[in-house]
Amino acid sequence: VLLLLITLNSFAQERGWKFGLNVDPAITWLSAKDGLDSDGSRVGIEASAIAEKYFVKNISFYLGLSFMDMGGKVKNVSENDLRFSDFDLKSLTTAKLHAQYLSFPLGIKLSTNDFAGLYSIYFSGGLVTGFRVGGEIKDATGKEHYVSGDVSMMMAGAQFGTGVRYSLGSTYLIGGIKYNHGFTDILKGSPLNSQLRSFSLSLGILF
């Protein structure tokens, strides 16, 4: 792993790119409607490898590869049971949904000049597309059901963030916050609608 990171860093720098790693603990929930109500949040995480390239001073383009573990609590407020592959969410009951995606963020980052040669502030915004790698749901008793086939194969959304970068020469430590706003319904083939949302603490290093 260390050898791979060194190789990627060398490759990126030779071509004017910076390479970074982020780990973002998150509070995630589902924005639900049409028979589902959001009934609480859960802890999630996003781990990312990011490549960034400046095309003018203080404005950069970034792209990446992320693993996202998101979800939230939902309540079925419709009159009918919500059927999954091997589980029925009964009317007026609550369950906790987990969804895992391999995602590809893409966007623009604006940075200030360095303060005292050490700190800069950044603002970022972009789009993210993800592909499902897993899905589970826990019923009211805590029993876990694997419902990967019931989670939409693809998700799309927007990401917005801000934070501080601390310079260590050519390397930066990063700390900030990020908001994910899902556009697409994550429940496949369901008349009920639910989109992913999250606030996360973004911690990383940029080489």
Side-chain angles (χ1 to χ4, degrees):
V1 173
L2 181 59
L3 180 59
L4 176 62
L5 292 178
I6 292 172
T7 302
L8 288 174
N9 182 40
S10 177
F11 177 84
Q13 289 185 348
E14 286 177 3
R15 287 155 181 78
W17 289 78
K18 284 188 170 294
F19 174 78
L21 299 172
N22 279 52
V23 177
D24 303 346
I27 298 297
T28 79
W29 69 96
L30 296 170
S31 176
K33 59 182 179 179
D34 298 339
L36 281 179
D37 272 353
S38 180
D39 201 49
S41 60
R42 61 171 289 260
V43 175
I45 194 166
E46 181 178 357
S48 307
I50 298 292
E52 181 178 326
K53 182 178 178 64
Y54 281 87
F55 56 90
V56 297
K57 184 179 180 181
N58 297 342
I59 304 179
S60 62
F61 164 82
Y62 69 85
L63 54 86
L65 173 65
S66 301
F67 172 78
M68 303 171 67
D69 179 22
M70 303 291 182
K73 297 178 182 177
V74 291
K75 184 175 183 179
N76 182 5
V77 295
S78 71
E79 296 179 354
N80 302 311
D81 296 349
L82 176 58
R83 181 172 295 277
F84 292 89
S85 298
D86 65 346
F87 167 70
D88 290 342
L89 179 58
K90 302 295 184 182
S91 178
L92 303 181
T93 59
T94 298
K96 183 184 291 187
L97 179 67
H98 300 246
Q100 296 86 39
Y101 286 92
L102 190 64
S103 65
F104 302 89
L106 176 72
I108 298 293
K109 183 179 290 184
L110 309 177
S111 303
T112 66
N113 292 326
D114 288 353
F115 300 105
L118 293 176
Y119 301 93
S120 63
I121 299 172
Y122 71 85
F123 305 89
S124 63
L127 300 175
V128 59
T129 301
F131 297 90
R132 182 200 70 218
V133 293
E136 304 86 38
I137 194 166
K138 287 186 178 180
D139 61 28
T141 68
K143 184 178 179 181
E144 191 170 83
H145 306 267
Y146 291 96
V147 293
S148 180
D150 301 294
V151 176
S152 296
M153 175 63 71
M154 185 176 176
M155 60 82 69
Q159 295 182 333
F160 305 95
T162 185
V164 175
R165 302 199 307 186
Y166 179 79
S167 176
L168 298 174
S170 62
T171 300
Y172 294 88
L173 300 180
I174 300 172
I177 57 174
K178 183 170 66 178
Y179 172 64
N180 279 290
H181 185 96
F183 299 145
T184 54
D185 187 1
I186 69 165
L187 295 178
K188 182 174 65 177
S190 168
L192 309 178
N193 292 310
S194 55
Q195 293 83 37
L196 288 169
R197 305 283 193 269
S198 72
F199 271 112
S200 59
L201 178 64
S202 187
L203 303 172
I205 186 168
L206 189 67
F207 302 100

